[in-house]
Amino acid sequence: NITQDNLRAPALFCMLLAGILLWLPSSFLHRHVCALLVLTGAAVLMGDGTALAFYGVVLAALACALWLCRQRWASHQQANRIRALADAATLMSLLLAAMPHQQLLTHMFDFQSDLSRHWIKVVYPAGMGIILLSVVAWLIRDMKGLMRWSVLGITALVAMLAQPAPGLVLTIALGLALFHASNRSWLVLLPVFATFYLFVLYYSLHISLLEKSLLMILCGAILLAGGRLMPRWSRLRT
């Protein structure tokens, strides 16, 4: 169990040591391992499931923000380290997004508290929905009028309908940010995580199979309708 008190001291030591080593001149692999160890050590120190859930949402927001602003830090002298942190935050957030599905991770995280379970189920869907809406809002910041509000409305509706699958919402948000950053490596890997979270949604027991099917159909119909209507609105505007 990674939340046991006897692991906190080694986790803190590992996090501090990796943080120091991250700043030393090193290779691509070394920087990424150090960044991942820093974030993993911090996850162990979170301990309680509720704190870890908030940490996962913060990491997801950090990863999206870093990829959306890649053009700003790509030429920075610390760009290699920022890239390592962005990759580590992306991976950690995708892994931690499985937290709401306790049946898969009972032996990995502390889900003994009913209050923790409740907050995890609240924090992740709400957090991932806000992150997706924020990413879309940033990407369409130059849009104005009806089209902008229509895109935001469609995004908010999809985020609400997809609450039972926060991991899928996260993959969509990260996919948009990574596409904007032109990161081909992660764009190849993201479908693997999306498939995993579809699998998790299908076999989860918190809602019925009929409800899952209806939610996916509604989300698909909304996205298809939006994809057809927005070009028409754009032509009408011009």
Side-chain angles (χ1 to χ4, degrees):
N1 189 330
I2 66 170
T3 60
Q4 291 178 348
D5 291 337
N6 59 356
L7 287 182
R8 291 178 185 266
L12 178 60
F13 175 77
C14 179
M15 184 179 70
L16 294 175
L17 181 60
I20 294 172
L21 293 175
L22 178 62
W23 290 97
L24 297 178
S26 57
S27 65
F28 176 89
L29 180 61
H30 182 273
R31 288 190 299 269
H32 279 70
V33 170
C34 288
L36 192 58
L37 286 174
V38 169
L39 298 185
T40 303
V44 175
L45 292 175
M46 291 296 107
D48 181 67
T50 305
L52 196 58
F54 278 105
Y55 178 67
V57 173
V58 170
L59 278 184
L62 175 63
C64 289
L66 286 175
W67 291 123
L68 288 173
C69 299
R70 184 179 184 180
Q71 291 182 349
R72 298 184 182 181
W73 55 260
S75 58
H76 192 274
Q77 60 180 356
Q78 301 296 337
N80 290 334
R81 294 177 178 86
I82 298 174
R83 167 66 188 273
L85 286 172
D87 285 332
T90 301
L91 179 59
M92 284 293 295
S93 63
L94 286 168
L95 294 176
L96 290 176
M99 280 187 65
H101 307 282
Q102 298 98 315
Q103 68 271 23
L104 296 178
L105 302 169
T106 303
H107 303 293
M108 293 178 61
F109 297 103
D110 179 14
F111 292 120
Q112 296 175 0
S113 168
D114 290 336
L115 183 60
S116 292
R117 284 197 293 268
H118 168 73
W119 277 108
I120 289 168
K121 291 179 180 178
V122 171
V123 168
Y124 258 96
M128 298 310 166
I130 292 171
I131 289 172
L132 176 60
L133 192 60
S134 300
V135 169
V136 172
W138 194 90
L139 291 173
I140 64 169
R141 61 193 184 280
D142 293 330
M143 285 187 184
K144 295 180 181 179
L146 178 62
M147 177 169 266
R148 175 181 173 82
W149 291 109
S150 299
V151 174
L152 291 176
I154 290 171
T155 304
L157 191 55
V158 169
M160 289 175 60
L161 290 172
Q163 281 189 357
L168 278 177
V169 177
L170 175 59
T171 57
I172 295 172
L174 281 172
L176 292 172
L178 289 163
F179 185 82
H180 176 77
S182 301
N183 189 308
R184 296 180 182 178
S185 301
W186 273 112
L187 288 174
V188 171
L189 290 174
L190 269 185
V192 177
F193 286 95
T195 303
F196 169 74
Y197 283 115
L198 274 174
F199 172 84
V200 170
L201 175 65
Y202 184 81
Y203 284 100
S204 59
L205 303 175
H206 59 300
I207 57 175
S208 68
L209 184 59
L210 177 61
E211 289 175 310
K212 298 171 193 174
S213 302
L214 290 175
L215 286 175
M216 287 193 289
I217 291 171
L218 281 173
C219 287
I222 291 169
L223 290 173
L224 286 173
R228 285 182 173 272
L229 289 174
M230 279 188 290
R232 295 183 182 179
W233 291 337
S234 180
R235 285 196 295 270
L236 287 174
R237 210 177 139 203
T238 55

